[in-house]
Amino acid sequence: MEIKGTYRHFKGNNYEVIGGAVDASNKEEYIFYRQLYFPFGFWIRPKDMFLGYKQDGDKKIKRFTRIADNQKDCLTNVNLSEIEINHSETKLKYKIIGDSDGKFIVKECH
């Protein structure tokens, strides 16, 4: 399944999925994405949570819904090894340290 694309969060904001990521220390899988609104931050979220459902009152809804294949200005002139990535659940900071098998390898910043 291709995960890159533009997604809408259940609260209404749009995000661009850049790719999959894996934690170098514990091999947990994440989705690496950025906000498509100010301040255009970069985030990782556990893969199962990103692709999963959320309880909304008496019904289950998708947390993120794919709405497009890509963004025309996708990361123009951004050096991904220089950015700081926010973890959506723990608020820890991560850096990209490499890539393998089509996934970014991320490591917590100390």
Side-chain angles (χ1 to χ4, degrees):
M1 173 181 134
E2 176 62 42
I3 59 169
K4 292 180 185 178
T6 304
Y7 290 76
R8 180 162 293 130
H9 189 262
F10 74 95
K11 292 180 181 176
N13 289 320
N14 292 340
Y15 298 85
E16 178 184 15
V17 170
I18 300 159
V22 62
D23 189 309
S25 61
N26 64 16
K27 307 300 184 219
E28 183 174 0
E29 291 196 39
Y30 296 103
I31 300 294
F32 173 37
Y33 62 102
R34 72 170 176 157
Q35 296 168 263
L36 293 177
Y37 56 93
F38 186 80
F40 301 96
F42 291 89
W43 299 83
I44 58 173
R45 183 182 292 261
K47 183 178 180 179
D48 291 344
M49 181 182 283
F50 188 96
L51 298 174
Y53 290 82
K54 177 173 178 33
Q55 194 68 36
D56 185 25
D58 60 349
K59 61 182 177 177
K60 279 189 164 185
I61 59 172
K62 290 184 92 170
R63 187 177 300 273
F64 288 89
T65 302
R66 187 184 179 97
I67 60 172
D69 289 338
N70 58 37
Q71 292 291 312
K72 287 183 180 179
D73 65 342
C74 180
L75 295 173
T76 305
N77 297 321
V78 174
N79 183 344
L80 295 179
S81 66
E82 295 177 359
I83 64 171
E84 205 169 71
I85 304 165
N86 303 292
H87 190 293
S88 66
E89 303 308 303
T90 65
K91 307 305 181 212
L92 296 173
K93 304 287 186 182
Y94 286 78
K95 295 286 243 179
I96 294 173
I97 60 170
D99 61 80
S100 176
D101 297 324
K103 293 182 183 173
F104 295 97
I105 309 298
V106 296
K107 185 172 183 171
E108 184 182 339
C109 300
H110 294 283

